[in-house]
Amino acid sequence: MIPKRRSTIENALGRVVELGGEALLITADGSGRAARPGVRHLDLLRREMHWGPNRLIAASPKRLAARLVGKKVGGRSLAWRRWVASKPYKVVRFHILSRVLAPLNGELRPSEVTHIVIAGVESWPIAWHITRFNPEAQIVWDVPGEWRTPQ
């Protein structure tokens, strides 16, 4: 998600909470950064890395070797970084994200979602997943005016 767009969406979600609603930010970028207070944040990257065949290439051999000797090494494997940057993976990633989201329906509660703000093309599979359970959910590209933080 584009940082400027994310900031706008986080502010809008914070406004939803201020107005008494519930807000959930779904990302898949590994950002551990907390959203605005009261906004729930669900990041799908870890689940994506452990989904199906991705699990085999996401583990860094350096990290595994370091774990054996009791050290901590961060980072993802070179194979994973190359795979996620490839054109074939970019085509199937949206499908994978909707698959890793499916087991989280209890936390997501798609039948209770009323509005979906699309942050980019990568948001469509998640929006599709939610609208399968709640066709009444309103999908918008931009933040509704009443959600924007007053200036």
Side-chain angles (χ1 to χ4, degrees):
M1 183 185 311
I2 301 167
K4 183 177 179 182
R5 181 120 173 94
R6 180 171 176 149
S7 175
T8 302
I9 290 172
E10 283 183 2
N11 289 337
L13 293 175
R15 182 76 175 136
V16 168
V17 171
E18 288 173 11
L19 295 171
E22 288 185 49
L24 172 65
L25 175 65
I26 302 173
T27 60
D29 57 8
S31 61
R33 194 178 96 206
R36 297 265 309 257
V39 175
R40 293 184 305 137
H41 182 206
L42 178 62
D43 188 77
L44 300 176
L45 182 63
R46 181 178 283 296
R47 290 177 168 275
E48 175 187 8
M49 289 175 59
H50 291 96
W51 183 84
N54 287 352
R55 181 181 206 107
L56 296 174
I57 62 171
S60 169
K62 289 180 185 177
R63 202 167 62 214
L64 295 173
R67 194 179 294 165
L68 290 174
V69 293
K71 293 183 180 178
K72 209 171 193 185
V73 176
R76 295 172 181 91
S77 74
L78 178 61
W80 170 257
R81 292 190 312 257
R82 285 189 175 162
W83 173 233
V84 297
S86 71
K87 288 183 181 182
Y89 190 75
K90 288 179 182 180
V91 170
V92 298
R93 185 173 192 231
F94 306 132
H95 173 71
I96 291 169
L97 290 176
S98 67
R99 296 291 303 263
V100 300
L101 183 66
L104 301 173
N105 280 342
E107 184 177 342
L108 181 60
R109 299 188 318 257
S111 60
E112 297 176 21
V113 173
T114 59
H115 290 78
I116 302 168
V117 179
I118 299 293
V121 69
E122 65 278 357
S123 304
W124 282 108
I126 294 170
W128 172 81
H129 176 81
I130 292 169
T131 56
R132 283 187 353 195
F133 293 93
N134 184 4
E136 305 292 316
Q138 188 176 18
I139 300 175
V140 294
W141 180 256
D142 202 6
V143 177
E146 64 270 14
W147 292 1
R148 294 194 180 126
T149 307
Q151 302 287 327

